[in-house]
């Protein structure tokens, strides 16, 4: 396979999941002989929420700029994000030039243009259907979708018509969830393959070698790791605390700001993606509302509970849990206790191993026609 291959994905965000899926996609491609570089495309809408105070004020949103500045000062948000992600971002191989539109990428020539994974096909995140993430630019021998996701989004008729036209240029299409297959399959005559998130294409031993023990840790600490993307209810946190007391394990929250709810015994601040994986792997129990928090818990064989996401995208977590036979690990809204710390992984590991082999075979075939 030629080295002139480009990947379009989310790669410059303050998100463990986004960073790790971008890295894992490159590694999975490398494992089938495809050396690729990230095409440094930044969707302008995706940047919302990650702007600096200066950027916000420059764009005319003085109030938001002041609020962002206050958060950076009071909760050290910018400092912790830089500590967590700056070095990792610099490690990802990407084009020197930054692009923000298809027009800017019109002259690109490639053996393979690849989009995915993550929610690159979710208009809620990209501010509408983003043609760049449907590879509507340049010249390429092959155009592939690798585990692209649309979260829980349901395309309307106008979006369907636009996507239908875009998909005609693809040589092979895979998406991440059964929900995405249902949405995309009617819009194309090509087969639509369901592919694991790339972080799951790399096995436990790979991620253990990748992980890094945080500074100051001995490696024998016992804790419950909480990784939540949104504020949770008092009722939920009461469940966590009761579980903590009953199990004798402290509640440690992984966070990138210094605000601390009283329920937590410790904040884990500014952790890198490598440390993120280590902390999941060494936890006695994981509580998360994140897809990738769930995915890494499953991949590392950890007892966990998945909470209903506050901002939607339930489908991708449920789809993964169904695949590995762990749908009972999704916490029901009416639940009065968390699932047991005892968890049998025999079926899940077998199912994941089989699915991983199937997906890697598809990727190899899609790249080589």
């Amino acid at each position: 396979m030629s080295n002139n291959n480009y990947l379009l994905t989310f790669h410059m965000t303050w998100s463990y999941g986004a960073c790790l899926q971008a890295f894992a996609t490159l590694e999975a491609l490398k494992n089938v002989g495809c050396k690729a570089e990230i095409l440094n495309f930044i969707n302008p809408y995706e940047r919302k929420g990650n702007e600096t105070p200066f950027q916000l004020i420059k764009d005319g949103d003085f109030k938001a700029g002041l609020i962002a500045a206050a958060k950076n000062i009071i909760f050290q948000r910018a400092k912790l994000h830089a500590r967590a992600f700056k070095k990792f971002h610099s490690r990802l191989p990407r084009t020197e030039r930054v692009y923000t539109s298809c027009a800017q990428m019109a002259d690109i020539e490639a053996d393979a243009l690849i989009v995915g994974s993550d929610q690159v096909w979710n208009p809620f995140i990209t501010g509408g259907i983003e043609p760049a993430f449907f590879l509507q630019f340049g010249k390429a021998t092959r155009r592939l979708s690798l585990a692209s996701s649309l979260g829980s989004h349901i395309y309307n008729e106008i979006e369907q018509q636009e996507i239908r036209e875009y998909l005609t240029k693809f040589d092979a299409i895979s998406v991440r969830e059964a929900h995405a297959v249902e949405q995309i399959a009617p819009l194309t005559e090509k087969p639509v393959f369901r592919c694991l998130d790339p972080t799951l294409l790399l096995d436990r031993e790979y991620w253990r070698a990748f992980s890094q023990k945080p500074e100051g840790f001995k490696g024998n600490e016992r804790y419950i790791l909480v990784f939540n993307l949104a504020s949770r209810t008092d009722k939920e946190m009461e469940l966590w605390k009761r579980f903590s007391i009953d199990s004798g394990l402290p509640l440690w929250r992984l966070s990138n700001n210094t605000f601390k709810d009283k329920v937590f015994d410790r904040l884990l601040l500014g952790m890198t993606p490598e440390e993120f994986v280590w902390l999941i792997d060494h936890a006695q129990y994981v509580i998360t509302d994140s897809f990738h928090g769930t995915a890494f818990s499953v991949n590392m064989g950890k007892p966990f509970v998945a909470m209903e996401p506050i901002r939607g995208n339930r489908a991708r977590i449920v789809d993964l849990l169904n695949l590995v036979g762990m749908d009972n690990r999704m916490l029901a809204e009416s639940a009065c206790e968390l699932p047991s710390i005892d968890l049998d992984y025999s079926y899940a590991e077998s199912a994941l191993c089989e699915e991983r082999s199937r997906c890697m075979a598809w990727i190899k075939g899609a790249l080589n026609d």
Side-chain angles (χ1 to χ4, degrees):
M1 187 87 193
S2 168
N3 291 338
N4 190 27
N5 308 299
Y6 295 108
L7 169 68
L8 266 81
T9 189
F10 299 137
H11 62 281
M12 287 291 288
T13 69
W14 297 338
S15 162
Y16 293 104
C19 288
L20 288 166
Q21 67 80 27
F23 174 82
T25 302
L26 293 173
E27 289 296 292
L29 290 170
K30 188 189 301 182
N31 287 343
V32 294
C34 176
K35 183 178 180 182
E37 181 180 29
I38 292 174
L39 199 55
N40 203 350
F41 171 76
I42 304 294
N43 169 263
Y45 188 86
E46 176 214 340
R47 295 178 64 177
K48 290 185 178 296
N50 290 340
E51 303 98 331
T52 66
F54 175 76
Q55 287 171 329
L56 290 166
I57 293 171
K58 184 180 178 182
D59 292 341
D61 199 338
F62 190 74
K63 182 179 178 181
L66 289 179
I67 293 172
K71 288 181 177 179
N72 287 345
I73 295 169
I74 298 171
F75 300 121
Q76 301 180 39
R77 187 180 65 165
K79 178 182 177 181
L80 292 170
H81 278 130
R83 195 273 176 189
F85 298 111
K86 187 174 181 179
K87 185 176 180 180
F88 190 84
H89 285 161
S90 70
R91 286 178 53 194
L92 294 174
R94 57 178 181 268
T95 60
E96 185 175 345
R97 182 179 174 184
V98 178
Y99 304 91
T100 58
S101 69
C102 283
Q104 295 174 355
M105 299 186 286
D107 295 333
I108 286 176
E109 296 185 8
D111 293 290
L113 286 176
I114 304 159
V115 63
S117 68
D118 223 332
Q119 297 183 71
V120 289
W121 287 358
N122 187 344
F124 180 77
I125 290 177
T126 57
I129 301 298
E130 173 53 76
F133 285 136
F134 284 88
L135 307 180
Q136 300 300 296
F137 61 88
K139 297 179 181 177
T141 304
R142 296 191 66 73
R143 297 173 193 263
L144 316 176
S145 164
L146 202 170
S148 300
S149 174
L150 49 138
S152 299
H153 186 76
I154 297 176
Y155 291 128
N156 60 39
E157 289 186 12
I158 295 175
E159 291 169 336
Q160 289 175 9
Q161 286 301 111
E162 186 174 0
I163 292 168
R164 191 189 304 273
E165 180 182 347
Y166 292 162
L167 293 176
T168 60
K169 288 190 175 183
F170 279 78
D171 297 284
I173 302 169
S174 69
V175 293
R176 195 168 64 186
E177 301 94 6
H179 167 75
V181 175
E182 293 170 1
Q183 291 287 300
I184 297 296
L187 306 180
T188 177
E189 295 180 357
K190 299 179 179 70
V192 179
F193 181 83
R194 189 179 73 173
C195 183
L196 287 172
D197 180 87
T199 64
L200 294 167
L201 295 177
L202 306 177
D203 64 22
R204 187 179 304 169
E205 295 312 310
Y206 178 92
W207 287 117
R208 282 188 174 149
F210 164 91
S211 70
Q212 183 176 335
K213 182 170 63 177
E215 185 178 347
F217 276 65
K218 296 178 181 178
N220 60 353
E221 290 85 356
R222 293 175 56 80
Y223 55 91
I224 297 167
L225 182 67
V226 179
F227 177 52
N228 55 302
L229 301 180
S231 298
R232 307 302 303 195
T233 66
D234 290 341
K235 178 185 175 182
E236 288 173 316
M237 288 192 284
E238 287 171 6
L239 284 181
W240 305 348
K241 193 62 179 178
R242 189 161 68 244
F243 188 86
S244 170
I245 293 170
D246 291 345
S247 65
L249 297 168
L251 283 171
W252 292 0
R253 186 190 177 200
L254 198 152
S255 178
N256 282 318
N257 73 71
T258 58
F259 175 78
K260 181 174 177 289
D261 282 301
K262 61 182 180 180
V263 70
F264 297 114
D265 298 291
R266 179 177 180 179
L267 292 183
L268 302 167
L269 299 171
M271 298 292 106
T272 66
E274 293 90 343
E275 292 167 337
F276 168 85
V277 176
W278 191 95
L279 287 163
I280 289 179
D281 189 31
H282 287 77
Q284 272 62 56
Y285 196 88
V286 178
I287 299 172
T288 186
D289 61 4
S290 153
F291 168 78
H292 282 102
T294 304
F296 273 97
S297 296
V298 169
N299 210 355
M300 307 312 286
K302 308 307 297 184
F304 72 97
V305 61
M307 297 176 293
E308 292 279 351
I310 298 292
R311 303 188 185 108
N313 298 324
R314 180 182 193 272
R316 54 190 185 144
I317 297 178
V318 171
D319 193 71
L320 172 59
L321 296 181
N322 286 339
L323 178 68
V324 295
M326 290 185 170
D327 51 300
N328 62 340
R329 304 305 286 195
M330 175 68 83
L331 190 68
E333 188 176 344
S334 60
C336 297
E337 60 183 10
L338 300 185
S340 170
I341 202 167
D342 298 317
L343 183 55
D344 181 1
Y345 260 94
S346 53
Y347 174 80
E349 289 179 352
S350 174
L352 188 56
C353 184
E354 182 178 340
E355 191 70 8
R356 184 181 290 129
S357 297
R358 191 175 74 94
C359 293
M360 292 302 292
W362 182 89
I363 294 170
K364 186 174 183 178
L367 285 164
N368 294 286
D369 198 17

